[in-house]
Amino acid sequence: MPTDATPTEALLARFLRDLAPLRPLALWAHGSLAGGDYQEGRSDLDLIAVLPDPLTLGTVRGVVRTHRRLRAAPLAAGLHCTYLTPAASGDPGRSHLTWAHGRVTRRPVTPVTRRELHDFGRVLHGGPPAGLLPPVLDRQLGEFVVRDQRDYWRPHVDRARLWRQDVWVDLGLLTFARATVTLRDGRLVSKREALTELAALGAPAEVVEDITRRRYGAPAPRDEAWLARRAGLTRAYLGPAIDELVTVYG
């Protein structure tokens, strides 16, 4: 490892070394790290590892040990990894062993993630996604995006207490903007591009500015009054915007 390696590079190199006993066939990055919009210390590290069949209890224990060894490393809290096997990789609806937010869970590798991997996934080890993951048809991608907006995000807009949190404001608005571009233009965009799109889509300017500052600059001071106002502005915009999107493309 060069002495001038960034904390992100150092963490990925250590993770791959620690993963070696599990004999990974491939390790890929998607999300911001692959898409060119990664902000060290702010962005998560979204990874997919392909392990040999089958996943045994010993494999699960090995995954847990690997991640627990990293806990004290810089940026490790944001390293999330889903573990596929070749036999189970084809179904976008199937849930897979995942380490995220400090614990083991299960989650699917969605059509959006799969398209990211095919379009611009970053190969950290092994072969490329095209050799192990089936392609994502435009129809599959569009149906998933509409379903995600309709069945997940729209009901959550009505849960007012969530929207005082940065993560809900950021992901809610950015996911909506990215969904709009995907359905309209058939392509995936970065979070930076999504912020520009939000302005064009009529999202509240002060909320878009708030997200931009927190992601790319110095966050401005805020108080409870601002958090309440931001939540109200976000929900008032996002609910009708999702309804219209689903009506047009559903």
Side-chain angles (χ1 to χ4, degrees):
M1 175 63 61
T3 56
D4 60 349
T6 67
T8 299
E9 291 167 342
L11 177 64
L12 290 172
R14 179 180 169 186
F15 178 60
L16 188 53
R17 287 196 305 270
D18 289 354
L19 204 61
L22 297 177
R23 300 180 294 117
L25 304 175
L27 181 66
W28 308 316
H30 60 101
S32 298
L33 184 64
D37 191 33
Y38 179 73
Q39 306 295 305
E40 190 166 79
R42 301 185 185 188
S43 300
D44 289 333
L45 289 164
D46 297 313
L47 307 177
I48 303 287
V50 183
L51 301 182
D53 289 306
L55 289 187
T56 65
L57 181 58
T59 307
V60 175
R61 288 172 175 163
V63 166
V64 172
R65 282 195 301 270
T66 298
H67 287 277
R68 285 181 174 171
R69 288 193 195 106
L70 291 176
R71 282 185 296 189
L75 308 179
L79 190 154
H80 306 150
C81 188
T82 294
Y83 294 85
L84 299 179
T85 63
S89 64
D91 182 2
R94 181 168 180 168
S95 292
H96 305 275
L97 176 70
T98 300
W99 180 273
H101 307 294
R103 64 186 181 90
V104 167
T105 184
R106 296 187 67 84
R107 63 172 57 163
V109 180
T110 69
V112 170
T113 296
R114 290 166 181 264
R115 178 64 70 88
E116 285 184 358
L117 287 167
H118 279 288
D119 286 359
F120 52 81
R122 178 176 167 183
V123 177
L124 303 174
H125 169 76
L132 289 162
L133 286 179
V136 180
L137 302 177
D138 289 345
R139 174 185 55 79
Q140 293 174 307
L141 181 63
E143 288 175 352
F144 171 80
V145 168
V146 169
R147 190 165 60 248
D148 185 54
Q149 289 290 302
R150 182 191 65 218
D151 298 345
Y152 181 81
W153 286 104
R154 185 60 182 90
H156 279 83
V157 172
D158 295 330
R159 299 175 62 184
R161 63 178 180 81
L162 298 175
W163 299 88
R164 297 174 71 93
Q165 303 173 45
D166 291 347
V167 65
W168 282 93
V169 172
D170 295 2
L171 286 181
L173 287 170
L174 291 172
T175 302
F176 167 73
R178 297 171 93 175
T180 299
V181 175
T182 297
L183 293 169
R184 186 187 66 208
D185 302 337
R187 62 189 181 93
L188 303 179
V189 296
S190 68
K191 291 178 179 177
R192 188 184 289 275
E193 292 175 278
L195 280 168
T196 301
E197 187 68 26
L198 277 173
L201 290 170
E206 57 193 304
V207 179
V208 175
E209 182 182 352
D210 175 70
I211 298 171
T212 303
R213 282 198 305 262
R214 284 186 287 101
R215 183 166 177 81
Y216 300 108
R222 66 256 184 88
D223 54 22
E224 288 299 315
W226 162 242
L227 295 179
R229 172 174 168 75
R230 186 185 67 176
L233 289 169
T234 301
R235 294 177 62 231
Y237 168 76
L238 197 54
I242 292 174
D243 290 341
E244 181 178 0
L245 186 75
V246 170
T247 298
V248 172
Y249 294 100

